[in-house]
Amino acid sequence: MAEEKQLTVDEFLKAIIDLDGRFELVRGVAYAFAGATEGHNVIWSNVLTVLVPSGKRKGCRTTSSAAVQTGPDTVRHSDVVVDCGPPNAMALTASWPTIVVEVSSSGTAVFDYDAKLREYQGVESINTVLEIESEIARVKVHRRQESGTWTDETVEEFGIAIPLTTLATSITLNEIYDTLEVKPRPRLQVVQNNPSKSM
């Protein structure tokens, strides 16, 4: 079996600059993603609608499908990235990403999200990672604390504000899933038999 060609970050970024679609470089190997569903696209569009104005007020730029370098030979393309670094129209990667949003879908399920999360957590500037489910109403929020440790929170209820302190704003599931019909995660119900009624 032929070995996969190893690419540097510069080689990868130059190779994909004129290509349609979404690609990532993982330990020197380039991968292409399958096309996203309408729900996936609507969610990141909804998130952009909420975060763009707040980002501007803080001097940050909020973009979709932005490249984030998470290692010497790894580049991830996140669904939404808030970049608070110096403006550079020619930049191919976010210079100071602070908030990263990943929207899950069947096309990305084959990738190890836990590994990707650890990479994001290893980037000094990133303080918040949102993992949004596209088929059920569920958001996992990962936040960096002042001590450098990370906390996790799962939000499954509509109407609850998810604080995004970097932008002095918040977002709710109502805004994230606006115009979509998503259901809560199924709950296990325990049915208890009454022995006295069965006699």
Side-chain angles (χ1 to χ4, degrees):
M1 183 176 178
E3 291 186 4
E4 295 171 304
K5 178 175 173 55
Q6 297 287 309
L7 299 175
T8 67
V9 168
D10 287 342
E11 288 172 339
F12 169 74
L13 293 173
K14 289 176 182 177
I16 67 170
I17 193 168
D18 293 322
L19 298 179
D20 292 328
R22 184 176 170 189
F23 303 85
E24 288 189 339
L25 184 71
V26 182
R27 292 182 291 280
V29 178
Y31 295 91
F33 282 88
T37 63
E38 180 181 13
H40 182 283
N41 292 335
V42 168
I43 289 170
W44 67 249
S45 178
N46 287 342
V47 173
L48 278 176
T49 300
V50 175
L51 300 191
V52 165
S54 301
K56 287 183 177 180
R57 287 193 292 271
K58 291 293 185 178
C60 304
R61 294 157 308 288
T62 307
T63 58
S64 64
S65 193
V68 177
Q69 185 171 349
T70 60
D73 55 0
T74 300
V75 176
R76 299 293 190 174
H77 265 92
S78 311
D79 289 298
V80 177
V81 175
V82 178
D83 184 1
C84 295
N88 180 0
M90 301 302 294
L92 298 178
T93 60
S95 62
W96 195 255
T98 57
I99 298 175
V100 171
V101 179
E102 288 280 351
V103 182
S104 69
S105 67
S106 57
T108 59
V110 296
F111 290 86
D112 183 354
Y113 182 78
D114 289 338
K116 184 182 287 190
L117 174 61
R118 289 193 295 271
E119 290 174 22
Y120 287 142
Q121 292 175 334
V123 177
E124 177 188 2
S125 59
I126 295 176
N127 57 50
T128 306
V129 179
L130 298 181
E131 180 189 0
I132 301 174
E133 296 282 350
S134 61
E135 298 176 0
I136 60 173
R138 182 173 182 264
V139 177
K140 287 195 73 173
V141 187
H142 309 274
R143 293 189 182 90
R144 188 193 300 271
Q145 305 301 306
E146 291 185 4
S147 62
T149 60
W150 286 78
T151 59
D152 302 326
E153 175 188 9
T154 299
V155 179
E156 298 179 304
E157 295 182 36
F158 286 80
I160 295 179
I162 301 172
L164 301 171
T165 55
T166 298
L167 302 184
T169 191
S170 63
I171 192 169
T172 65
L173 267 61
N174 308 66
E175 294 168 314
I176 291 171
Y177 296 107
D178 188 29
T179 74
L180 294 175
E181 292 185 5
V182 293
K183 299 179 180 179
R185 182 171 54 157
R187 304 284 185 176
L188 177 64
Q189 295 184 349
V190 179
V191 178
Q192 294 182 337
N193 293 323
N194 189 334
S196 62
K197 291 185 178 181
S198 61
M199 293 177 64

